[in-house]
């Protein structure tokens, strides 16, 4: 049933009551304004104990649910109050007087009987006409068949009082719908919702020099951009758009009959934003006379040369630098000029070191055969043997010399 309703704070509000021998308000009209939250709350409702106190349930609805404190909107809104009683038994209390009192208070009662419900009791409590307010279904599972019958009653609200209309000025209720209207001096637009003031600015109705602005059945005059309204409030005069604070030109402002354009000082060009300026690129091709390198310096430039070249006295052209002149290189022996650069070399009998600057004497060697190599090894071994024997002999000679000196000393004593 909820899925068929336009549920919302400003549309249909729903409360749910649960009753048996006692009555419980599961949630009042002010609690939920969206279907998802409402259905979630209903899914957690548990049946109460046995009993069918229908009269008590209707009275509770009148006293506790249909109150502004619990979410009922003011009576001036003329919003229908509807009670749907769903029961599968016979009331165990007096329901006739309670239902009559509720109907007198403006509450429309629908009575839905399920299974073994007492049809006479349903007719006693329901509103007239009974054939539109009393229903019977075999089981709770088919009660959804009745939802379309309730929808028309739920939707019969005063949309002008609710504020759910889209009239710009005046809303006039019309049965279950509404019509839009306008205040005095306004006319309803073709969209039937918005209003426009009577056009006092139509040709021939005003005496403005440039712009007529309609103003609630009257009008005022205005001027185009770059103009100001004269004291007569009708005619316009051009403003000095280049006065300080009225333009955003970075350098030069050019006034142009109520408007302006920007320009730049000599040596500058206007940027694409038409406001700021950039210095002209004096080093652009064709704008300088440097032979090799142009160096920009704000609005001016100077010339320079590539590596290995020096600037001539004319400050424009370049000449190759003598890179091998004394003091201009770091070669130890020979400097070899190579265009604008140089490389180092060495005298005959020397070789260039890995640092490519210094030189070392070359070590010559001859190619030898394997047999000669073996002979060399044998000679080296012999040399080592001879050296070892000479060292041993030298040691013995030292010992003999020491003994001789000792002997001579003893003879001098004698």
């Amino acid at each position: 049933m909820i899925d068929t309703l336009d549920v919302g704070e400003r549309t249909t509000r729903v409360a749910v009551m649960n009753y048996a021998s006692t009555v419980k308000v599961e949630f009042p009209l002010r609690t939920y304004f969206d279907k998802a939250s409402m259905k979630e709350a209903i899914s957690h409702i548990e049946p109460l104990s046995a009993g069918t106190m229908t009269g008590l349930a209707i009275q509770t609805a009148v006293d506790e649910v249909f109150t502004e404190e619990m979410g009922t909107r003011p009576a001036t809104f003329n919003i229908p109050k509807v009670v749907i009683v769903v029961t599968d038994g016979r009331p165990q209390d007096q329901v006739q007087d309670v239902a009559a009192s509720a109907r007198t208070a403006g509450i429309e009662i629908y009575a839905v009987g399920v299974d073994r419900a007492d049809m006479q009791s349903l007719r006693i409590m329901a509103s007239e006409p009974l054939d539109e307010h009393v229903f019977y279904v075999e089981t709770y599972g088919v009660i959804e068949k009745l939802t379309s019958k309730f929808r028309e009653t739920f939707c019969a609200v005063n949309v002008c009082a609710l504020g759910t209309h889209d009239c710009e000025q005046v809303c006039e209720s019309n049965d279950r719908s509404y019509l839009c209207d306008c205040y005095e001096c306004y006319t309803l637009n073709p969209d039937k919702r918005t209003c426009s003031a009577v056009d006092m600015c139509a040709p021939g109705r005003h005496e403005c020099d440039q712009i007529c602005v309609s103003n609630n059945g009257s009008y005022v005059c205005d001027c185009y951009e770059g103009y100001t309204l004269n004291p007569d409030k009708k005619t316009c005069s051009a403003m000095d758009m280049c006065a300080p604070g009225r333009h955003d030109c970075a350098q030069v402002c050019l006034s142009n009959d109520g408007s302006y354009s920007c320009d730049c000082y000599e040596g500058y060009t206007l940027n694409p934003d038409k406001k700021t300026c950039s210095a002209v690129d004096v080093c652009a091709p064709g704008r300088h006379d440097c032979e090799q390198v142009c160096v920009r310096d704000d609005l001016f430039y100077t010339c320079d040369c590539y590596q290995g070249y020096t600037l001539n006295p004319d400050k424009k052209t370049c000449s190759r630098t003598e890179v091998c002149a004394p003091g201009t290189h770091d070669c130890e022996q020979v400097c070899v000029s190579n265009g604008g650069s140089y490389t180092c070399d060495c005298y005959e009998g020397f070789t260039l070191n890995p640092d490519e600057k210094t030189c070392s004497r070359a070590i010559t060697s001859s190619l030898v055969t394997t047999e000669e190599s073996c002979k060399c090894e044998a000679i080296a071994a012999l040399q080592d043997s001879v050296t070892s024997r000479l060292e041993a002999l030298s040691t013995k000679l030292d010992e003999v010399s020491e003994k001789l000196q000792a002997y001579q000393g003893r003879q001098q004593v004698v």
Side-chain angles (χ1 to χ4, degrees):
M1 293 175 67
I2 289 172
D3 283 335
T4 69
L5 302 177
D6 183 13
V7 174
E9 184 177 6
R10 302 181 70 181
T11 51
T12 302
R13 298 185 182 184
V14 178
V16 173
M17 296 174 58
N18 189 2
Y19 79 95
S21 59
T22 59
V23 178
K24 178 183 179 183
V25 179
E26 296 290 349
F27 55 82
L29 296 168
R30 68 183 183 185
T31 303
Y32 300 110
F33 298 125
D34 66 279
K35 295 181 182 181
S37 301
M38 190 177 295
K39 290 163 69 175
E40 175 67 17
I42 291 174
S43 68
H44 294 95
I45 293 177
E46 295 289 340
L48 298 178
S49 58
T52 312
M53 303 295 286
T54 306
L56 178 61
I58 295 174
Q59 190 63 52
T60 302
V62 173
D63 296 339
E64 300 182 14
V65 176
F66 288 115
T67 65
E68 290 189 28
E69 181 183 0
M70 300 305 287
T72 298
R73 284 162 284 192
T76 55
F77 281 24
N78 296 322
I79 298 174
K81 298 180 179 68
V82 178
V83 166
I84 302 175
V85 179
V86 182
T87 179
D88 58 4
R90 179 190 298 274
Q92 296 175 342
D93 58 356
Q94 293 298 320
V95 74
Q96 184 172 358
D97 293 341
V98 175
S101 177
R103 293 193 299 269
T104 302
I107 298 174
E108 188 172 8
I109 301 177
Y110 287 84
V112 180
V114 182
D115 193 15
R116 296 175 296 172
D118 178 47
M119 293 301 297
Q120 181 60 29
S121 298
L122 298 179
R123 297 174 67 84
I124 289 175
M125 70 179 79
S127 297
E128 295 286 348
L130 295 179
D131 58 349
E132 294 182 7
H133 291 81
V134 178
F135 304 96
Y136 173 80
V137 292
E138 294 80 5
T139 65
Y140 284 102
V142 296
I143 200 169
E144 63 185 36
K145 294 179 180 178
L146 304 177
T147 56
S148 61
K149 298 182 181 295
F150 301 132
R151 192 183 313 172
E152 292 183 2
T153 299
F154 295 156
C155 295
V157 296
N158 185 340
V159 292
C160 288
L162 280 175
T164 56
H165 61 86
D166 54 0
C167 296
E168 183 181 22
Q169 293 185 357
V170 179
C171 176
E172 295 182 350
S173 184
N174 180 18
D175 193 15
R176 296 181 180 181
S177 184
Y178 65 95
L179 297 173
C180 297
D181 201 354
C182 301
Y183 303 139
E184 187 178 357
C185 296
Y186 288 82
T187 57
L188 192 65
N189 291 327
D191 61 9
K192 303 299 182 182
R193 297 193 305 271
T194 58
C195 300
S196 297
V198 174
D199 187 8
M200 297 301 296
C201 287
R205 286 188 176 174
H206 67 90
E207 44 188 6
C208 296
D209 183 27
Q210 293 186 353
I211 299 174
C212 175
V213 180
S214 185
N215 183 18
N216 192 23
S218 182
Y219 71 92
V220 293
C221 297
D222 201 355
C223 300
Y224 302 137
E225 185 176 358
Y227 292 80
T228 56
L229 194 65
N230 292 327
D232 63 6
K233 303 297 182 182
K234 300 175 183 178
T235 59
C236 301
S237 296
M239 290 190 299
D240 180 9
M241 297 303 295
C242 284
R246 283 187 175 167
H247 66 88
D248 50 4
C249 297
Q251 293 185 356
V252 179
C253 176
L254 302 175
S255 184
N256 182 19
D257 190 24
S259 183
Y260 71 94
S261 59
C262 298
D263 203 354
C264 301
Y265 302 138
E266 185 177 358
Y268 289 81
T269 57
L270 195 63
N271 292 327
D273 62 7
K274 302 299 183 181
K275 300 174 183 179
T276 58
C277 300
S278 296
V280 174
D281 184 6
V282 292
C283 282
R287 288 188 172 169
H288 65 90
D289 51 2
C290 297
E291 182 182 19
Q292 292 187 354
V293 180
C294 176
V295 181
R296 180 176 167 179
D297 181 19
D298 196 14
L299 300 180
F300 306 97
Y301 69 92
T302 56
C303 296
D304 202 353
C305 300
Y306 302 137
Q307 184 177 359
Y309 291 80
T310 54
L311 193 65
N312 293 329
D314 62 6
K315 302 298 183 182
K316 300 175 182 179
T317 58
C318 300
S319 297
R320 189 182 299 279
T321 303
E322 179 49 61
V323 293
C324 283
T328 60
H329 64 88
D330 52 2
C331 296
E332 183 181 22
Q333 294 185 358
V334 179
C335 175
V336 180
S337 181
N338 182 16
S341 183
Y342 69 91
T343 57
C344 297
D345 203 352
C346 299
Y347 302 139
E348 185 176 357
F350 290 81
T351 57
L352 193 64
N353 291 327
D355 62 7
E356 297 188 350
K357 298 177 183 178
T358 59
C359 300
S360 297
R361 187 177 295 279
I363 300 175
T364 58
S365 62
S366 60
L367 297 176
V368 297
T369 64
T370 303
E371 182 178 355
E372 289 173 337
S373 175
C374 292
K375 288 180 180 179
C376 288
E377 292 177 358
I379 292 171
L382 179 60
Q383 288 176 342
D384 290 342
S385 176
V386 171
T387 300
S388 177
R389 290 177 179 275
L390 288 174
E391 289 176 352
L393 181 60
S394 176
T395 301
K396 289 183 179 181
L397 287 175
D398 290 340
E399 292 175 354
V400 171
S401 177
E402 289 176 358
K403 289 181 180 180
L404 181 58
Q405 289 177 358
Y407 177 74
Q408 290 175 348
R410 284 197 297 273
Q411 282 185 334
Q412 291 175 359
V413 171
V414 175

